[in-house]
Amino acid sequence: MKPSVIVADDHVPTRRALVEALQDDGFDVAGEAATGPSAVDAARDLVPDLALLDVAMPGSGLIAAGDIVRTCPGTTVMMLTVSRDDRDMVQALRAGAAGFIQKGVDLRQVPSLCRAVLAGEAVLPRSVLSLVAQEFGRNRAGPVGNERLSDREWEVLDLLASGRSTEEIAAQLFVAKVTVRSHVAAILRKLRVSSREQAIAVFHDR
């Protein structure tokens, strides 16, 4: 099955170029939006695997990211940005984004970056990785703030720590692979870590 995605960007040429790149690589572009609120509405109506959101679009891509993460748990959020402010990117991670694509990147790279995020990987600029690592170091004991892992998320993390792959976890839990990827993305976000390996380290340090 093709992974489904909505693309939200108020700059029409950019949005169309992204749509074409994704469609050419086998994605099902389920919808498009030009504002934060319309992106949230599209995510709720279409329940895509991925929401690709422009940070600076009208209505705020950051606010939209948080709303989609809260109301569409099966949808992974990835941000489009021209910002070089690493703190802005960390703010987006706190809102629930799983990664970033810098505008201006070779469009041929976009589908592979999206697939990486859907596979549970964190797609982040190197400079942001260091900030995430600092957060990780301050919070090794467990989940951050008021966000706690659900029982199912701990179960998935336990299976990851035992060395099982996404496919093996899906088979053991009798769920789809995309569901496992969504759980992994939620685990990384809640633990504020950038990789499965760091999440496993948190598990072992409980």
Side-chain angles (χ1 to χ4, degrees):
M1 182 181 296
K2 294 181 177 181
S4 59
V5 58
I6 61 170
V7 180
D9 194 310
D10 62 312
H11 187 248
V12 176
T14 297
R15 190 171 75 238
R16 292 310 307 161
L18 289 166
V19 167
E20 290 176 9
L22 290 164
Q23 288 176 331
D24 288 346
D25 201 78
F27 279 79
D28 172 20
V29 179
E32 301 178 37
T35 68
S38 62
V40 175
D41 289 342
R44 289 172 177 167
D45 291 343
L46 301 169
V47 196
D49 298 316
L50 179 69
L52 190 56
L53 310 177
D54 176 28
V55 169
M57 66 183 164
S60 177
L62 292 176
I63 292 175
D67 288 344
I68 291 172
V69 168
R70 283 191 297 273
T71 61
C72 307
T75 299
T76 299
V77 173
M78 192 166 191
M79 309 303 295
L80 293 161
T81 181
V82 294
S83 174
R84 298 293 176 179
D85 188 333
D86 294 340
R87 295 291 171 177
D88 287 346
M89 296 186 195
V90 171
Q91 182 181 352
L93 291 176
R94 288 172 178 159
F100 296 88
I101 295 177
Q102 290 281 352
K103 288 188 175 181
V105 70
D106 187 337
L107 287 174
R108 291 173 295 183
Q109 297 181 29
V110 170
S112 62
L113 293 173
C114 290
R115 291 182 192 279
V117 162
L118 287 173
E121 299 177 25
V123 177
L124 304 171
R126 188 178 301 275
S127 57
V128 175
L129 282 173
S130 64
L131 291 177
V132 173
Q134 291 171 20
E135 292 281 346
F136 171 70
R138 287 196 296 268
N139 298 286
R140 288 183 66 86
V144 176
N146 294 322
E147 288 200 282
R148 300 286 178 179
L149 298 191
S150 67
D151 289 342
R152 176 48 63 93
E153 287 164 355
W154 276 119
E155 188 175 10
V156 169
L157 184 52
D158 187 11
L159 291 169
L160 284 174
S162 69
R164 287 174 172 79
S165 66
T166 297
E167 292 76 8
E168 290 169 335
I169 294 172
Q172 182 161 338
L173 299 181
F174 302 101
V175 297
K177 288 185 289 185
V178 67
T179 301
V180 175
R181 293 181 187 122
S182 295
H183 286 315
V184 171
I187 290 166
L188 297 182
R189 175 177 58 80
K190 289 181 179 181
L191 297 184
R192 293 187 187 170
V193 297
S194 60
S195 70
R196 296 184 180 205
E197 290 74 19
Q198 287 182 336
I200 291 168
V202 172
F203 177 82
H204 287 311
D205 286 351
R206 283 186 303 170

